[in-house]
Amino acid sequence: MTSLPSPTPDRQFTRLLGQIGYGLAALAITLLGLMLVTFLIGRVVPTDPVLSIVGERATPAQIAAIREKLGLDLPLWQQFFIYVRDAVQGDLGNSIRTGKSVTSEIARYFPATLELATLGTIFGTLVGVPAGVLAATRPGSIADQIVRVVGLMGYSMPVFWLGLIGLLVFYGQLDWVSGPGRLDPTYDMMMEFTLNTYTGMILIDAALNGAWDVFGNAVSHIILPAGLLGYVSMAYISRMTRSFMMNELGQEYITTARVKGMPEWRVIWVHAMKNVAVPLITVIALSYAYLLEGSVLTETIFAWPGLGSYITDALFANDMPAVLGGTVVVGVVFVTLNMASDILYRLVDPRARG
């Protein structure tokens, strides 16, 4: 029997580019569907954006003029076309509350969420992966039981309850951390009027400015909410790591490596982890996306001026352009991270390239 020739590197690269192109096309279609859903939601909600702008005492002529200015007198298909065209150009409309561009406001709020979610994901990964490996290599042991119980608590306990308990214990009683907000008022004024802003993330900007007193104050504020999100992320990552690792440790190649006398640490951290890392990439990316879009309660409890708080405040104020703009951004981030993890998955695992 003759074996089929293996594909050349050029053909593999071409096939990988084709898969990436297909993924980008699927990404565009998904984002278009997301924008259609948000557009329809903005049109079916009972709140009239025109009345929110001009007030209930406005004359019919004033209402008609504003409606024409906003393009609300056009057919729905034409409104949606304009909505997509403007969104592609980075224009998500203007906030009813402030009259400012929603895009500029999101650009001001999103770095706070990005900073918080990134630290939470780093903590969850650095703790969750070793914990999951430890539990998988010692099934049924005390270490395994501790990892599973800690993970179960992270799944079961409401985030807002953990946040309130954390503030009560570590801020109110022990005074180990600072309270809600990103900075104390004095440092906040210094950050706004004295120091240069590069990224909108206080830790990075303070370090780039050499303002280490501001950096230390920012750390004392972010450590509790980031640790809380990191705990939630760690619970998910450790559980999935344990499951993936236990599956790999039962494979024949692991038994063969052990029979050959290979050190246990090399069997686990080199051979098994090489295969575990492939699906773990998707797990970490989804956990990161969840923290970026699901930190609303955490930001509310800790008065963290991020995207979650921005969308919540806009929702209570019936500011639909801001709500829909924030929703679109969250959806874009989630879909993009999912797409990036899929591309990285294919780069790391040759078997996924087909």
Side-chain angles (χ1 to χ4, degrees), residues 32 35-36 39 76-85:
L32 184 63
M35 297 182 68
L36 176 61
F39 171 80
L76 277 180
W77 68 268
Q78 193 171 352
Q79 293 183 42
F80 178 67
F81 175 79
I82 296 173
Y83 178 68
V84 173
R85 182 199 63 189

Side-chain angles (χ1 to χ4, degrees), residues 16-132:
L16 179 61
L17 287 180
Q19 292 174 341
I20 293 176
Y22 175 80
L24 292 176
L27 174 65
I29 295 174
T30 303
L31 293 179
L32 184 63
L34 172 67
M35 297 182 68
L36 176 61
V37 172
T38 56
F39 171 80
L40 293 178
I41 291 175
R43 295 302 183 272
V44 300
V45 291
T47 303
D48 189 346
V50 176
L51 293 180
S52 300
I53 296 174
V54 301
E56 297 182 356
R57 297 185 178 180
T59 63
Q62 293 173 327
I63 294 176
I66 296 297
R67 191 174 297 277
E68 181 180 358
K69 181 180 179 181
L70 296 177
L72 297 177
D73 59 330
L74 300 174
L76 277 180
W77 68 268
Q78 193 171 352
Q79 293 183 42
F80 178 67
F81 175 79
I82 296 173
Y83 178 68
V84 173
R85 182 199 63 189
D86 293 342
V88 170
Q89 296 174 354
D91 183 7
L92 296 174
N94 294 325
S95 170
I96 295 176
R97 293 178 300 164
T98 63
K100 298 180 180 179
S101 168
V102 172
T103 303
S104 63
E105 290 188 338
I106 290 177
R108 182 162 57 91
Y109 282 92
F110 185 68
T113 298
L114 183 64
E115 185 177 41
L116 187 62
T118 301
L119 289 179
T121 303
I122 292 174
F123 173 81
T125 302
L126 293 180
V127 178
V129 172

Side-chain angles (χ1 to χ4, degrees), residues 246-291:
M246 290 189 69
N247 180 67
E248 288 300 320
L249 292 178
Q251 300 298 318
E252 292 184 2
Y253 75 93
I254 295 295
T255 304
T256 303
R258 285 171 172 167
V259 169
K260 290 182 178 180
M262 188 173 294
E264 187 67 14
W265 68 268
R266 186 174 180 84
V267 172
I268 296 172
W269 291 103
V270 177
H271 291 275
M273 182 54 69
K274 182 179 179 180
N275 291 322
V276 168
V278 176
L280 201 57
I281 290 173
T282 303
V283 170
I284 295 174
L286 292 178
S287 176
Y288 187 35
Y290 169 76
L291 295 188

Side-chain angles (χ1 to χ4, degrees), residues 185-197:
T186 302
Y187 293 107
D188 196 15
M189 294 179 62
M190 183 186 303
M191 195 72 199
E192 184 173 357
F193 298 107
T194 305
L195 305 180
N196 295 322
T197 301

